Amino acid sequence: MFITIGTGIVDKDGEDVSSKGRVVLLELTKASPTSSVVELNFVYEKKIFHGPVNSLSCLSCEGKNRLVIGAGADVNVEQWGNDKLTQVGFFRATMH
């Protein structure tokens, strides 16, 4: 089980057009099987170059969980495997 955190940096004028973000994955592990204490461990970080991370959601389908990342005008679908997030789908909105 993971906790995901999305970040973004907005410049001094409040603009997020040229900003970048990142996604951080923290794993939840029990200290022992009988304990109610949970530890957070840093697992992974991925830089997002399309803008600040605006939203994160889990997409469950056919027994697989994928992470949906909304960043700027992009929506990326990422799959966890081999100790990294890999993009398996995307949608890029046209901004006029």
Side-chain angles (χ1 to χ4, degrees):
M1 185 175 297
F2 293 102
I3 289 180
T4 57
I5 301 168
T7 69
I9 297 173
V10 179
D11 73 14
K12 63 182 166 84
D13 297 321
E15 293 291 326
D16 66 353
V17 175
S18 63
S19 70
K20 299 172 186 170
R22 66 189 177 128
V23 173
V24 178
L25 294 179
L26 303 171
E27 186 176 26
L28 291 163
T29 55
K30 280 192 166 189
S32 71
T34 59
S35 174
S36 61
V37 176
V38 177
E39 297 176 350
L40 286 175
N41 297 306
F42 174 84
V43 175
Y44 185 75
E45 171 185 38
K46 182 171 188 168
K47 293 182 181 179
I48 306 295
F49 298 105
H50 308 295
V53 177
N54 301 327
S55 62
L56 293 169
S57 184
C58 179
L59 174 65
S60 296
C61 182
E62 298 178 354
K64 294 183 181 180
N65 293 322
R66 295 184 174 98
L67 182 63
V68 180
I69 304 168
D74 290 0
V75 176
N76 295 317
V77 179
E78 306 268 340
Q79 182 172 312
W80 178 253
N82 299 324
D83 295 329
K84 66 179 183 174
L85 285 173
T86 303
Q87 183 177 349
V88 294
F90 72 94
F91 173 78
R92 178 162 292 146
T94 304
M95 298 179 71
H96 297 284

